[in-house]
Amino acid sequence: MAQKVNILLVDDIDESEASETVAFGLDGTSYEIDLNDEHAAQLREALATYIGHARKAGGRPRRGGSAPRRAAASSSDGPSAKDVREWARENGWEVPDRGRVSTEVREAYEAAH
């Protein structure tokens, strides 16, 4: 006997018909929410500024056990973050004391050298 199953997504905001399930995470917790096109766009727009300044984490599942971590890029792979930060500050860029130097600043550094 054949069966046909239809799944109807309901928007979790206003209970209209949803068009997709959106997955996202915050503070180490993963969430899923069913949204129509308008609400999905609103959520993405609200998060766009933060995503634009964030770095991706995870993304690749770890293989069993504790895999060895790769060493940080050496200075032979390009300028060090310290060098880029010093140049950026001397040239009017605002950069953090620690953490990732933005792609925009690195590209400006490379263009100047």
Side-chain angles (χ1 to χ4, degrees):
M1 177 187 331
Q3 291 184 353
K4 184 176 182 180
V5 177
N6 291 323
I7 298 174
L8 175 65
L9 294 178
V10 177
D11 188 295
D12 291 322
I13 303 296
D14 65 6
E15 298 185 359
S16 65
E17 186 173 335
S19 55
E20 65 180 299
T21 300
V22 178
F24 62 98
L26 181 65
D27 295 335
T29 302
S30 296
Y31 298 91
E32 288 186 346
I33 187 169
D34 299 327
L35 299 172
N36 63 32
D37 290 337
E38 180 183 349
H39 289 142
Q42 289 173 353
L43 175 60
R44 289 184 174 102
E45 184 177 321
L47 295 174
T49 298
Y50 301 98
I51 291 171
H53 288 84
R55 62 186 169 276
K56 288 185 179 182
R60 293 188 313 221
R62 289 188 173 212
R63 295 185 181 151
S66 57
R69 298 187 68 164
R70 289 180 31 198
S74 67
S75 60
S76 64
D77 292 338
S80 70
K82 179 183 175 188
D83 293 340
V84 174
R85 280 189 182 90
E86 287 176 5
W87 173 87
R89 288 186 181 114
E90 290 169 1
N91 290 277
W93 292 86
E94 290 186 29
V95 291
D97 291 333
R98 297 178 45 174
R100 181 175 64 99
V101 176
S102 73
T103 302
E104 183 180 21
V105 172
R106 284 197 175 270
E107 288 174 351
Y109 176 90
E110 290 171 9
H113 290 87

